[in-house]
Amino acid sequence: MNIDPRNTDNPKDPSASSDGVYVRPVWRFLYLLVAPLTGWKRIKNAAYSSYSFARHLFFPLLALMAVSRFALLIYDPEETLVHCLQMSISLFVAGFAGYYSIVALGRTFLPPVAREKIDTPFGKVYVMTCLSVLALAISILELVPGLGVIFIVVPIYASYLMVKGVRFLRVPRHEEMPVAILMTLLMLAVPMVIFFILEWLMPAAQTGAAAY
C-alpha cells in the first residue's frame, strides 16, 4: 500500500515521536530558537516533507508577517489601509518568492555537493526554517514597534542559526564555510531585494514608506 507523503497525520510518518505521536514543525521550530544544534538535529531526524513543513509552519508564519503589518494602523495615525495592504502583499510575496529563488540560486551557485543537498526535502526545509526565523522577527517588530532594536540582534542570531544548520546538510567539511556564507547572504538579501522591487513597482506605497 502506498502512503501519501503529504499525509502528515499518518502514524508511520517519520516525523512522529518515539511514541508514535506526530510532532508538528512549529514545536521543533520553537525548540530550535532556544537550542540551535539540538533543534536542527530534531528537525533533520523528523524528516518532514517540504509540503508538510510549508503547510504547518512556513506559510502560516508568512501570513502572520503579512497580517501583522496592519497593526501599524493602531500605532501610526497617518498610516493608510491601502498602504498597509500594499506592504502586506509585498512582505508575503517577498518571503514566498524568496524561498523558491534561494533554492534555485543554491542549485546554481553552491559548491557541487551542496547543490544536490539543497534540492532535497531537508534542504528545502532548511531554507524555509531560516526564512521562518526572519518572518517571526518581522511579525514581532510590526506588532510591537518599540522593539526596533530587535533588528540589530535578529540578523546576527538568524545568521548564527543558518550557519549551525549547514552541518546537517551533510556537505563535505571543506564546503561547509563557503556554503554557510553564501546561504546566509542569500537568506538575508534575496527577500529584501524582492521586497524593494515590489515596493518600487507600487508607487502609491512609497508615500507612507518613508516612516517605515
Side-chain angles (χ1 to χ4, degrees):
M1 179 179 66
N2 293 326
I3 298 176
D4 183 355
R6 297 179 300 175
N7 183 11
T8 55
D9 294 323
N10 193 297
K12 294 184 179 180
D13 193 299
S15 57
S17 62
S18 58
D19 59 0
V21 178
Y22 177 76
V23 180
R24 290 186 181 274
V26 64
W27 301 118
R28 300 195 190 277
F29 173 73
L30 293 175
Y31 190 88
L32 169 72
L33 298 179
V34 297
L37 278 177
T38 307
W40 276 121
K41 183 177 180 180
R42 291 187 177 186
I43 292 176
K44 170 76 172 181
N45 293 338
Y48 294 113
S49 67
S50 57
Y51 174 91
S52 171
F53 200 86
R55 177 174 161 234
H56 289 112
L57 179 75
F58 184 52
F59 291 159
L61 278 179
L62 289 184
L64 174 64
M65 177 177 65
V67 172
S68 64
R69 174 62 188 172
F70 290 92
L72 200 60
L73 291 171
I74 301 173
Y75 298 107
D76 187 356
E78 297 184 359
E79 187 60 90
T80 65
L81 181 61
V82 172
H83 177 240
C84 279
L85 180 60
Q86 290 176 328
M87 296 293 280
S88 177
I89 293 173
S90 295
L91 285 170
F92 185 89
V93 174
F96 184 83
Y99 159 69
Y100 289 101
S101 299
I102 290 169
V103 172
L105 289 170
R107 288 198 300 255
T108 304
F109 296 107
L110 287 175
V113 176
R115 292 178 192 174
E116 299 177 4
K117 298 293 185 177
I118 205 65
D119 203 27
T120 63
F122 177 72
K124 295 174 181 177
V125 165
Y126 167 77
V127 174
M128 284 190 280
T129 301
C130 296
L131 291 178
S132 294
V133 174
L134 299 177
L136 178 60
I138 292 174
S139 299
I140 294 174
L141 181 63
E142 294 283 9
L143 294 172
V144 190
L147 296 178
V149 69
I150 196 174
F151 261 143
I152 300 176
V153 179
V154 167
I156 298 174
Y157 191 65
S159 299
Y160 172 75
L161 291 176
M162 295 172 197
V163 171
K164 289 298 182 182
V166 167
R167 63 181 291 187
F168 296 96
L169 288 173
R170 297 290 188 265
V171 298
R173 180 75 64 178
H174 67 277
E175 287 188 8
E176 282 189 6
M177 187 53 65
V179 170
I181 293 173
L182 183 55
M183 290 306 297
T184 300
L185 291 175
L186 289 175
M187 297 286 189
L188 297 176
V190 171
M192 186 182 303
V193 170
I194 294 175
F195 175 81
F196 284 125
I197 290 175
L198 291 172
E199 186 181 29
W200 176 71
L201 291 174
M202 293 188 288
Q206 295 177 1
T207 303
Y212 182 71

